[in-house]
Amino acid sequence: MSIEEKEEFRPKIVAFCCNWCSYAGADLAGSSRLSYPADVKIIRVPCSCRVNPMFILRAFEKGADGVIMCGCHPGDCHYTTGNYYARRRMTLLFSMLDFIGVENGRTRVEWVSAAEGVKFSQTMNEFVEKIYSLGKNVRLEDLRCRN
């Protein structure tokens, strides 16, 4: 039995969070002592519209098993229309990922405000469970990035 077979699968999740709402929601979840898996790595971005679809593809290439983008609720963006652009880009990215054969549940978009720490925690727990059920991402993984 190899070392990889002995270890339990722990999904690697990358979360792109808007500075003004979702990141503050994650902070509220932490200060309220709400739990979500430590496997979720949060990347703070100024606005959800700054998340280029290439960032998500690159995360998958580097070994992420799931990627979630969290932003302000539509209509409540700090930059007025940023989340509308993000929603449009993510819709196109979902269709591209579907075309190349990546499972539908590996990416997700969620709107979380700064006052929704409970929603942030629940969303991350649900997403990690979904990725856990899908298993390891092998479709877009770059073999050169393995340890």
Side-chain angles (χ1 to χ4, degrees), residues 85-103:
Y85 291 113
R87 184 170 57 181
R88 193 176 315 150
R89 281 191 201 122
M90 292 303 288
T91 302
L92 292 171
L93 177 68
F94 289 159
S95 63
M96 186 184 83
L97 289 173
D98 186 43
F99 177 75
I100 60 177
V102 175
E103 293 98 340

Side-chain angles (χ1 to χ4, degrees), residues 12 25 39 57 61 82 85 100 107 121 125 144:
K12 296 175 191 153
D39 301 323
L57 292 173
E61 181 184 39
Y85 291 113
I100 60 177
T107 52
S121 176
N125 285 320
R144 298 171 294 176

Side-chain angles (χ1 to χ4, degrees), residues 6-19:
K6 291 180 184 177
E7 289 183 21
E8 182 182 342
F9 170 66
R10 295 183 56 119
K12 296 175 191 153
I13 309 294
V14 176
F16 291 98
C17 293
C18 159
N19 180 52

Side-chain angles (χ1 to χ4, degrees), residues 11-138:
K12 296 175 191 153
I13 309 294
V14 176
F16 291 98
C17 293
C18 159
N19 180 52
W20 302 101
C21 281
S22 301
Y23 191 79
D27 189 40
L28 179 62
S31 61
S32 300
R33 300 187 187 272
L34 301 170
S35 65
Y36 60 89
D39 301 323
V40 177
K41 306 301 181 209
I42 297 176
I43 298 174
R44 181 168 60 174
V45 293
C47 180
S48 57
C49 76
R50 296 293 296 149
V51 177
N52 188 326
M54 290 303 295
F55 296 168
I56 294 169
L57 292 173
R58 185 74 170 172
F60 280 128
E61 181 184 39
K62 292 290 186 180
D65 297 308
V67 180
I68 185 169
M69 186 189 73
C70 298
C72 304
H73 289 279
D76 289 338
C77 181
H78 185 78
Y79 298 104
T80 312
T81 59
N83 47 17
Y84 293 119
Y85 291 113
R87 184 170 57 181
R88 193 176 315 150
R89 281 191 201 122
M90 292 303 288
T91 302
L92 292 171
L93 177 68
F94 289 159
S95 63
M96 186 184 83
L97 289 173
D98 186 43
F99 177 75
I100 60 177
V102 175
E103 293 98 340
N104 194 17
R106 291 207 184 269
T107 52
R108 183 171 172 180
V109 175
E110 197 66 43
W111 310 118
V112 180
S113 77
E116 295 178 320
V118 173
K119 181 179 179 182
F120 185 86
S121 176
Q122 289 173 343
T123 300
M124 291 304 153
N125 285 320
E126 290 169 9
F127 189 63
V128 169
E129 285 298 318
K130 174 71 174 174
I131 299 302
Y132 189 78
S133 69
L134 288 173
K136 186 161 178 57
N137 173 34
V138 293

